[in-house]
Amino acid sequence: MPDLSVNIAGIELANPLMTASGTCGYANEYADFVDLRTLGAFVTKSISVAPREGNPYPRVVETRSGMLNAIGLANVGLERFLDEKIPLLEELNLPVFVNIAGTNIDDYVQVTEALANVDVVKALELNISCPNVKAGGIQFGTDPASATEITRAVKAACGKNKLIVKLSPNVTDITAIAAAAVEGGADALSLINTLTAMVVDVETRKPVLANRTGGLSGPAIKPVAVHMVHRVYTQVAKPAGIPIIGMGGIQTGRDALEFLLAGATGLAIGTALFVDPACIVEIRDTINEYLTRHGCTSINEIIGALE
Amino acid sequence: MMLLLCCHFCGAGFQPALFFCAAMLYNVPMCTTDKTRGVFAATVLENRPLCDEHYLIRLQTPGFPATEAGQFVQLQCRPNAIPDAIRVVDWTDDAPPKLTGGEIADGEPLLRRPLSLAGRDGDILDIIYRVVGRGTGWLQRAAAGTELTILGPLGAPFPIPDTISQAILVGGGVGIPPMLYLAKALNAAGVQTTAICGARTAGLMPLATDDSGQSVEFSARGAHSILCTDDGTLGRGGLVTEPLAELLAAADDPAAVAVYSCGPEIMMKYVGLATTDAGAQCFLSLERSMACGMGTCQGCIVKIKDDSERGWNYKLCCSDGPVFPAESILWE
């Protein structure tokens, strides 16, 4: 059986699969539907210092081969996360990556410091790419100097935790932001977050979502994501020796393999979980089958192997 | 003992790692008997029109967990296989890869469709749906023998308090189906039940009537029925709230009456107001657009009153509901 284990910034994962932040709640929601230990790591929904109730309804709308969401970083806040959710995450017996959000650097640092000594947490994923709130970090994700500044500030507060910076595709040149995050001390990069998008109700002449715009996810964005992963891999991550967690429309094992070949070491599954949480089993097994058929003994042989 | 029969093909847990599961995203048969919820394989037994735009689909769903009236399922509304599965035959020595083109051409709905249960007979689930878009449009074309997957059961059921002796069901349009399932449960509980069913016009009433104008379906479930159409083409002309007001006024002990409703939100709002004014209990089944149905996407928010300073907070229709006490809902 091929070896599926990968190493992300010094964290050993049994396989590259993880949940994409915001599509998996806080651990226990999918317990009835799939054994989450099929994953290599668990990535939580965004946590901010104060609880956030999120945007008004409607928050989601389906599109061709995808969906828009504008949830607005609804979350229970840091205090309840520590009290109520960390114990549930401990039961998963998986490395946990916590996605952190904020409106200014102090917010991010406060969440970072609070998680520095939590054992089950192995890494933080810095959300500087949420397109759905007015001050939700995207301002840090679209300007290279700001990206470096916040990465550096958060990295200094991380303690034992590794720092993953999650990149927005809503920029002219994603490699510039990737390079800025690396300069700030990022241990890994994750990409892509959703693409800002709009669906219009032609009868009312209004956007369908209450937030007017939302983030496009699902199979529709996969080719964009694969391309961006490959660009960041070749131009930034590989030269710097930093791993990429690839995401954006992964639904099947073949999708996952495209990301691996393009240069992703980790793989996050998001929208597909809404349709069938057990898709991670098929994805894992298809990767295994592919490696066996191609005579590979380790998944590392195909990471970045695009010709 | 179905567990032993199906577990080798199960998507979760026990699976030899080298066994290549050809099942793609939508056709992963699951372990059944040990789960209270999950994704299950289903076969279409029957799929027929009941009236304009409304269809009854009967799904053979082996091992589907126990369900109650008011719960819903997330039904796949697209073909089973995603056509970009890796197959060795796609890659030959003397020709370029045989591309299925499936990914490019895939115009079928990505997300499942949340649909309430209209009834259940053993492993057979009944769902009555209205064709409103791409998903239900695809479903309408699913012939007997079509294999699908179904995720569920989801949501909280209609409560049946043991203090009630009378129930009034108010269904509007495609809100009528869950009332059929509820009527059966109320009949079993010995509660005297009247179903008030409304539609815009006769052609949109998904019920059959007998010579006395009673719904055959509700009669079979031990319930009296009052059919209403907005345009008077079937049953009483006018809104469902009129017969509701009459029944509530005639009740000897309103505290022993429960009103259950599902349908257009404006209808449910007035059903709720009339019922709580009369001193009876009222439970409403809400509808929201949602992606997952499992409480993770957080798309299906409902404003529910609480004791906070501003007096309300968001709850999730899928997992906190879809059934809520009428007085708890903050209407916009």
Side-chain angles (χ1 to χ4, degrees), chain A residues 1-2 22-26 28-35 38 45 53-67 71 74-75 217-219 222-223 251-255 257-258 271-279 281-282 284-286 288-290 292-293, chain B residues 10-13 15-21 23-26 28 30 35-39 74 78 82 84-88 91 99-100 103 106-113 134 151-154 287-292 294-301 310 312-314 316:
Chain A
M1 182 162 70
T23 62
C24 49
Y26 304 107
N28 53 349
E29 286 86 343
Y30 287 139
D32 293 341
F33 298 93
V34 65
D35 184 353
T38 307
K45 187 162 176 54
E53 70 175 23
N55 290 326
Y57 182 85
R59 290 175 167 186
V60 294
V61 60
E62 188 181 56
T63 60
R64 295 273 167 174
S65 294
M67 61 173 283
I71 306 302
N75 80 89
S217 66
K222 192 197 73 184
Q251 194 180 20
T252 67
R254 175 174 151 169
D255 298 334
L257 288 161
E258 286 194 42
T271 302
L273 295 173
F274 293 156
V275 180
D276 185 356
C279 69
V281 177
E282 184 276 324
R284 183 197 61 192
D285 293 346
T286 300
N288 249 327
E289 182 272 343
Y290 177 91
T292 304
R293 188 155 50 80
Chain B
C10 168
Q15 187 162 33
L18 279 176
F19 170 70
F20 172 45
C21 184
M24 303 309 282
L25 189 66
Y26 294 95
V28 184
M30 298 287 293
K35 278 188 167 282
T36 53
R37 304 193 298 172
V39 175
Q74 282 269 48
R78 57 177 296 147
I82 292 179
D84 65 351
I86 294 176
R87 286 187 296 274
V88 178
W91 308 82
L99 299 176
T100 62
E103 195 170 354
D106 188 358
E108 306 293 358
L110 171 69
L111 302 173
R112 293 170 184 273
R113 295 297 185 260
R134 284 197 296 149
L151 186 155
L154 300 166
E287 186 178 51
R288 286 288 183 277
S289 59
M290 60 182 71
C292 72
M294 295 170 278
T296 55
C297 81
Q298 308 217 0
C300 60
I301 44 170
R310 68 173 176 186
W312 62 272
N313 223 320
Y314 285 132
L316 299 180

Side-chain angles (χ1 to χ4, degrees), chain A residues 8-300:
Chain A
I8 303 229
I11 306 161
E12 282 290 334
L13 309 186
N15 67 60
L17 302 183
M18 53 191 85
T19 50
S21 177
T23 62
C24 49
Y26 304 107
N28 53 349
E29 286 86 343
Y30 287 139
D32 293 341
F33 298 93
V34 65
D35 184 353
L36 286 170
R37 285 168 297 183
T38 307
L39 296 165
F42 185 92
V43 184
T44 70
K45 187 162 176 54
S46 286
I47 294 299
S48 52
V49 175
R52 297 181 68 120
E53 70 175 23
N55 290 326
Y57 182 85
R59 290 175 167 186
V60 294
V61 60
E62 188 181 56
T63 60
R64 295 273 167 174
S65 294
M67 61 173 283
L68 263 58
N69 87 80
I71 306 302
L73 298 178
N75 80 89
V76 297
L78 179 60
E79 193 179 325
R80 276 186 64 196
F81 178 74
L82 292 170
D83 290 349
E84 299 169 21
K85 306 301 181 183
I86 288 290
L88 298 173
L89 290 164
E90 283 170 344
E91 289 171 18
L92 281 180
N93 219 6
L94 282 174
V96 170
F97 300 170
V98 178
N99 185 290
I100 62 171
T103 54
N104 55 54
I105 291 182
D106 288 347
D107 284 357
Y108 283 95
V109 169
Q110 196 178 331
V111 180
T112 302
E113 286 174 343
L115 294 166
N117 296 315
V118 180
D119 276 349
V120 70
V121 178
K122 303 299 179 199
L124 305 181
E125 184 179 50
L126 186 63
N127 184 356
I128 53 169
S129 45
C130 178
N132 296 326
V133 293
K134 285 189 183 67
I138 189 81
Q139 70 275 23
F140 297 111
T142 51
D143 170 56
S146 302
T148 302
E149 184 188 4
I150 192 166
T151 305
R152 189 168 284 141
V154 171
K155 178 66 185 168
C158 268
K160 65 163 179 64
N161 288 329
K162 300 296 182 183
L163 182 61
I164 304 158
V165 177
K166 186 166 183 175
L167 304 178
S168 170
N170 303 308
V171 292
T172 308
D173 180 6
I174 194 168
T175 62
I177 310 294
V182 171
E183 189 189 332
D187 298 301
L189 300 170
S190 60
L191 63 149
I192 58 174
N193 206 320
T194 56
L195 289 144
T196 305
M198 180 186 275
V199 173
V200 174
D201 180 331
V202 296
E203 295 301 328
T204 63
R205 303 187 179 186
K206 290 177 181 166
V208 170
L209 297 179
N211 190 54
R212 300 184 69 86
T213 59
L216 178 64
S217 66
I221 72 168
K222 192 197 73 184
V224 177
V226 170
H227 175 232
M228 287 190 168
V229 163
H230 188 58
R231 280 193 68 211
V232 171
Y233 176 71
T234 52
Q235 294 179 33
V236 180
K238 190 181 181 190
I242 294 219
I244 290 175
I245 298 165
M247 71 191 82
I250 298 176
Q251 194 180 20
T252 67
R254 175 174 151 169
D255 298 334
L257 288 161
E258 286 194 42
F259 277 88
L260 290 165
L261 291 166
T265 302
L267 301 165
I269 322 297
T271 302
L273 295 173
F274 293 156
V275 180
D276 185 356
C279 69
I280 54 178
V281 177
E282 184 276 324
I283 293 169
R284 183 197 61 192
D285 293 346
T286 300
I287 294 170
N288 249 327
E289 182 272 343
Y290 177 91
L291 294 173
T292 304
R293 188 155 50 80
H294 286 259
C296 304
T297 54
S298 162
I299 194 168
N300 289 300

